[in-house]
Short mmCIF file of all heavy atoms in Angstrom, two decimals:
data_model
loop_
_atom_site.label_atom_id
_atom_site.label_comp_id
_atom_site.label_asym_id
_atom_site.label_seq_id
_atom_site.Cartn_x
_atom_site.Cartn_y
_atom_site.Cartn_z
N TRP A 118 111.70 74.26 121.28
CA TRP A 118 112.59 75.09 120.54
C TRP A 118 112.71 76.49 121.20
O TRP A 118 113.72 77.22 121.20
CB TRP A 118 112.14 75.24 119.04
CG TRP A 118 113.11 76.08 118.22
CD1 TRP A 118 114.11 75.68 117.50
CD2 TRP A 118 112.88 77.49 117.84
NE1 TRP A 118 114.77 76.80 116.90
CE2 TRP A 118 113.92 77.87 116.97
CE3 TRP A 118 111.97 78.39 118.21
CZ2 TRP A 118 114.13 79.14 116.37
CZ3 TRP A 118 112.15 79.82 117.70
CH2 TRP A 118 113.25 80.06 116.89
N LEU A 119 111.58 77.05 121.71
CA LEU A 119 111.57 78.39 122.27
C LEU A 119 112.29 78.39 123.56
O LEU A 119 112.50 79.44 124.09
CB LEU A 119 110.05 78.71 122.48
CG LEU A 119 109.22 78.89 121.28
CD1 LEU A 119 107.69 79.01 121.63
CD2 LEU A 119 109.68 80.10 120.55
N SER A 120 112.52 77.29 124.21
CA SER A 120 113.41 77.25 125.51
C SER A 120 114.82 77.54 125.36
O SER A 120 115.43 77.85 126.38
CB SER A 120 113.03 75.87 126.07
OG SER A 120 111.72 75.69 126.34
N SER A 121 115.40 77.40 124.27
CA SER A 121 116.89 77.66 124.05
C SER A 121 117.07 79.09 124.17
O SER A 121 116.52 79.94 123.57
CB SER A 121 117.17 77.02 122.60
OG SER A 121 118.50 77.57 122.33
N SER A 122 118.17 79.38 124.93
CA SER A 122 118.56 80.84 125.13
C SER A 122 118.99 81.44 123.88
O SER A 122 118.75 82.53 123.53
CB SER A 122 119.78 80.90 126.22
OG SER A 122 120.80 80.11 125.78
N LYS A 123 119.59 80.55 123.02
CA LYS A 123 120.07 81.09 121.68
C LYS A 123 118.90 81.58 120.80
O LYS A 123 118.85 82.52 120.12
CB LYS A 123 120.93 80.10 120.97
CG LYS A 123 121.44 80.42 119.52
CD LYS A 123 122.23 79.36 118.86
CE LYS A 123 122.65 79.68 117.56
NZ LYS A 123 123.43 78.70 116.90
N ASN A 124 117.86 80.66 120.80
CA ASN A 124 116.74 80.92 119.96
C ASN A 124 115.91 82.17 120.57
O ASN A 124 115.30 82.81 119.81
CB ASN A 124 115.78 79.73 119.93
CG ASN A 124 116.43 78.53 119.19
OD1 ASN A 124 117.27 78.78 118.33
ND2 ASN A 124 116.04 77.34 119.47
N ILE A 125 115.89 82.43 121.85
CA ILE A 125 115.26 83.48 122.46
C ILE A 125 115.88 84.79 121.95
O ILE A 125 115.25 85.75 121.71
CB ILE A 125 115.16 83.35 124.01
CG1 ILE A 125 114.37 82.15 124.36
CG2 ILE A 125 114.74 84.63 124.59
CD1 ILE A 125 114.27 81.90 125.88
N VAL A 126 117.18 84.87 121.89
CA VAL A 126 117.99 86.05 121.47
C VAL A 126 117.61 86.28 120.05
O VAL A 126 117.36 87.39 119.56
CB VAL A 126 119.57 85.80 121.54
CG1 VAL A 126 120.22 86.89 120.91
CG2 VAL A 126 119.79 85.75 123.10
N ILE A 127 117.43 85.22 119.27
CA ILE A 127 117.20 85.39 117.79
C ILE A 127 115.60 85.91 117.72
O ILE A 127 115.36 86.95 116.98
CB ILE A 127 117.07 84.03 117.00
CG1 ILE A 127 118.51 83.47 116.99
CG2 ILE A 127 116.50 84.09 115.68
CD1 ILE A 127 118.79 82.06 116.39
N ILE A 128 114.79 85.46 118.39
CA ILE A 128 113.42 85.83 118.42
C ILE A 128 113.32 87.32 118.91
O ILE A 128 112.74 88.20 118.25
CB ILE A 128 112.53 85.10 119.42
CG1 ILE A 128 112.36 83.58 118.97
CG2 ILE A 128 111.09 85.79 119.68
CD1 ILE A 128 111.68 82.63 120.02
N ILE A 129 114.00 87.77 120.00
CA ILE A 129 114.03 89.13 120.33
C ILE A 129 114.70 90.07 119.36
O ILE A 129 114.07 91.19 118.99
CB ILE A 129 114.74 89.32 121.73
CG1 ILE A 129 114.00 88.46 122.92
CG2 ILE A 129 114.90 90.68 122.09
CD1 ILE A 129 114.69 88.55 124.19
N THR A 130 115.81 89.59 118.72
CA THR A 130 116.32 90.39 117.77
C THR A 130 115.49 90.64 116.46
O THR A 130 115.24 91.70 115.99
CB THR A 130 117.74 89.73 117.32
OG1 THR A 130 118.59 89.51 118.37
CG2 THR A 130 118.42 90.65 116.19
N CYS A 131 114.85 89.51 116.05
CA CYS A 131 114.04 89.68 114.91
C CYS A 131 112.76 90.49 115.18
O CYS A 131 112.26 91.31 114.40
CB CYS A 131 113.56 88.23 114.46
SG CYS A 131 114.87 87.18 113.85
N LEU A 132 112.16 90.36 116.36
CA LEU A 132 111.09 91.15 116.79
C LEU A 132 111.27 92.60 116.76
O LEU A 132 110.62 93.39 116.23
CB LEU A 132 110.49 90.67 118.24
CG LEU A 132 109.40 91.48 118.81
CD1 LEU A 132 108.23 91.41 117.83
CD2 LEU A 132 109.20 91.06 120.15
N LEU A 133 112.44 92.89 117.49
CA LEU A 133 112.81 94.39 117.48
C LEU A 133 113.29 94.94 116.23
O LEU A 133 112.98 96.19 115.96
CB LEU A 133 114.00 94.58 118.59
CG LEU A 133 113.71 94.22 119.96
CD1 LEU A 133 114.85 94.36 120.90
CD2 LEU A 133 112.57 94.95 120.53
N SER A 134 113.76 94.18 115.30
CA SER A 134 114.14 94.70 114.07
C SER A 134 112.99 94.90 113.20
O SER A 134 112.82 95.87 112.41
CB SER A 134 115.05 93.49 113.29
OG SER A 134 116.19 93.32 113.96
N PHE A 135 111.89 94.10 113.22
CA PHE A 135 110.53 94.27 112.58
C PHE A 135 109.90 95.57 112.91
O PHE A 135 109.50 96.28 112.17
CB PHE A 135 109.73 93.06 112.78
CG PHE A 135 108.39 93.32 112.17
CD1 PHE A 135 108.20 93.16 110.74
CD2 PHE A 135 107.34 93.66 112.95
CE1 PHE A 135 106.90 93.34 110.20
CE2 PHE A 135 106.09 93.85 112.44
CZ PHE A 135 105.86 93.62 110.99
N ILE A 136 109.91 95.75 114.31
CA ILE A 136 109.22 96.96 114.82
C ILE A 136 110.04 98.22 114.44
O ILE A 136 109.53 99.34 114.12
CB ILE A 136 109.11 96.82 116.34
CG1 ILE A 136 108.22 95.68 116.79
CG2 ILE A 136 108.43 98.19 116.89
CD1 ILE A 136 108.18 95.37 118.28
N ALA A 137 111.37 98.08 114.46
CA ALA A 137 112.14 99.30 113.97
C ALA A 137 111.95 99.57 112.58
O ALA A 137 111.78 100.78 112.13
CB ALA A 137 113.70 98.94 114.21
N VAL A 138 111.87 98.58 111.69
CA VAL A 138 111.66 98.81 110.23
C VAL A 138 110.17 99.44 110.17
O VAL A 138 110.04 100.27 109.27
CB VAL A 138 111.63 97.52 109.50
CG1 VAL A 138 111.15 97.75 108.02
CG2 VAL A 138 113.21 96.93 109.50
#
Side-chain angles (χ1 to χ4, degrees):
W118 183 86
L119 295 173
S120 301
S121 167
S122 59
K123 179 181 178 181
N124 294 333
I125 291 174
V126 172
I127 294 174
I128 291 172
I129 294 175
T130 302
C131 292
L132 174 63
L133 298 182
S134 298
F135 174 79
I136 298 175
V138 171

